[in-house]
Amino acid sequence: MTIRSRIVGTGSYLPERIVSNAELTKTVDTSDEWIIERSGIRQRHIAADDETTADIAYQSALRALEASGVGIADIDMIVLATATPDNTFPSTATKVQAMLGMEHGAAFDVQAVCSGFIYALAVADNFIKVGQAERVMVIGAETFSRILDWQDRTTCVLFGDGGGAVVLEKSEEGDGIFSTHLHSDGRHGNLLYVDGGPSTTQTVGHLRMSGREVFRHAVVNLAAVVDETLAANNFQRSDIDWLVPHQANLRILSGTARKLGLSEDQVVITVDRHANTSAASIPLALDEAVRDGRIQKGQLVLLEAMGGGFTWGAALVRW
Ligand code: UT7
């Protein structure tokens, strides 16, 4: 029997504070109508001053552990996707490892910005497939509010903070992750980046984005990786039950759904309430749709994301 990894529990966490579009209009020249029309975003959660990416990741991980019924003693590895780590080093993953009271195994961060969760999932899935791990905690957690230029209306209205996690477990029952597909193209690094870092400016820097250009690439790259993923597994577009996409822009989500021939109610949408939470957006959306009963055992779920780098990727999962 083929060895695969399957998701046995999901969890997520959003900071308490909600910031509406209306609140943003007090500090930047924007409007509720513009933000909703161009992005579909109505509000975002913003971390408290003393709340870090590790805190958010920890809460998400606790909830995923609880949902899975797996104890921390049985987790072999933590793979954490973030572009907003607590510190340059040590990794946020090792910080979360300590918070969870885990004194064994290995923990490390993965950096692929908004595609981070797909990358982390792929890493964890492959560790399980080759037999080097039986259970892996995969987390996507971000505090993008800390790297936004709050005077730049073209970016600050689009992002939010949050986290999500899944527990992956070895399975020989034919379910689980069928395949993961990762891509990057570093030539486009200047279209979505942070203008600082330890080795360049010795500062953290702020997010900069050429939104229209990123949008154009996202539509093309996501369509290609979705087709590649289906073809690799001999599935048709019509076989997909649920699309759980990275949540950057409602127009990108709707466009991908249309291309796949999916109705909008087969797409898990959280961008309206969470905005773009980068590596956290897929596990946040997944957790919501699992907990409210939309995603059911046996269904085919497609995850996809595109982000800075550029990076993009997809994963196909039999729930
Ligand atoms: O997660 C990683 C991947 N990221 C993405 O996928 C994001 C992709 N890009 C997008 O989602 C969209 O491009 C945006 C939502 C960022 C922007 O939407 P757009 O339809 O591409 O608008 P635009 O950038 O072409 O801007 C249109 C106009 C501009 O004015 P002019 O030059 O036409 O006079 C902007 O200055 O809207 C203006 N504008 C704003 N107006 C009010 C830009 N930001 C704002 C704002 N409020 N917040």
Side-chain angles (χ1 to χ4, degrees):
M1 183 49 103
T2 315
I3 293 179
R4 292 205 175 103
S5 67
R6 70 172 167 200
I7 296 170
V8 293
T10 64
S12 63
Y13 173 83
L14 288 158
E16 205 176 305
R17 184 169 166 233
I18 294 174
V19 174
S20 66
N21 292 347
E23 191 174 337
L24 292 179
T25 64
K26 293 181 192 153
T27 47
V28 280
D29 178 18
T30 188
S31 67
D32 185 40
E33 296 71 33
W34 189 95
I35 302 171
I36 291 174
E37 188 194 314
R38 302 294 174 127
S39 70
I41 296 165
R42 292 171 184 273
Q43 61 173 51
R44 69 285 297 140
H45 290 248
I46 300 292
D49 289 347
D50 61 351
E51 194 170 41
T52 71
T53 295
D55 296 326
I56 289 171
Y58 170 65
Q59 292 298 335
S60 310
L62 282 184
R63 292 169 191 192
L65 282 174
E66 194 185 2
S68 66
V70 173
I72 193 66
D74 293 320
I75 299 288
D76 302 317
M77 182 177 280
I78 298 174
V79 186
L80 188 151
T82 189
T84 46
D86 283 22
N87 299 85
T88 302
F89 76 81
S91 70
T92 304
T94 52
K95 212 168 159 181
V96 172
Q97 180 189 27
M99 290 165 92
L100 289 168
M102 177 176 164
E103 296 173 7
H104 62 277
F108 54 93
D109 287 0
V110 164
Q111 220 295 38
V113 206
C114 297
S115 313
F117 184 76
I118 299 285
Y119 270 65
L121 195 71
V123 170
D125 176 51
N126 283 305
F127 267 104
I128 289 175
K129 277 185 184 149
V130 299
Q132 286 193 300
E134 292 223 346
R135 285 182 204 87
V136 183
M137 172 72 73
V138 183
I139 308 172
E142 304 277 15
T143 46
F144 256 52
S145 61
R146 304 272 156 74
I147 57 164
L148 295 175
D149 174 352
W150 286 98
Q151 306 305 314
D152 176 8
R153 69 173 185 173
T154 68
T155 53
C156 75
V157 303
L158 300 173
F159 296 88
D161 301 335
V166 303
V167 175
L168 272 192
E169 186 176 86
K170 179 177 153 187
S171 170
E172 296 181 59
E173 290 171 25
D175 56 355
I177 298 176
F178 285 155
S179 65
T180 57
H181 302 262
L182 305 182
H183 294 278
S184 63
D185 185 346
R187 291 174 302 166
H188 304 299
N190 61 343
L191 295 178
L192 175 49
Y193 66 102
V194 168
D195 62 5
S199 184
T200 50
T201 59
Q202 296 85 57
T203 61
V204 172
H206 292 111
L207 183 148
R208 306 291 172 205
M209 176 165 74
S210 306
R212 209 177 304 182
E213 286 293 292
V214 176
F215 191 105
R216 203 168 53 79
H217 283 275
V219 170
V220 174
N221 291 339
L222 289 173
V225 78
V226 160
D227 283 342
E228 173 191 332
T229 305
L230 290 173
N233 296 285
N234 291 317
F235 281 117
Q236 309 296 316
R237 293 170 173 197
S238 55
D239 292 321
I240 299 172
D241 293 300
W242 291 104
L243 178 66
V244 185
H246 166 53
Q247 312 275 325
N249 186 315
L250 189 58
R251 287 185 289 144
I252 300 179
L253 271 60
S254 307
T256 310
R258 255 195 319 276
K259 277 208 177 89
L260 286 168
L262 296 177
S263 67
E264 285 224 359
D265 53 15
Q266 286 178 282
V267 185
V268 180
I269 295 169
T270 56
V271 67
D272 52 333
R273 289 159 290 130
H274 303 172
N276 182 345
T277 57
S278 184
S281 85
I282 291 178
L284 265 163
L286 197 58
D287 186 44
E288 182 172 292
V290 168
R291 281 175 193 261
D292 68 19
R294 270 179 285 174
I295 296 179
Q296 294 286 331
K297 193 163 172 52
Q299 291 185 324
L300 199 62
V301 183
L302 181 66
L303 318 178
E304 46 88 333
M306 150 95 189
F310 287 149
T311 55
W312 65 102
L316 191 66
V317 186
R318 173 74 72 201
W319 207 260

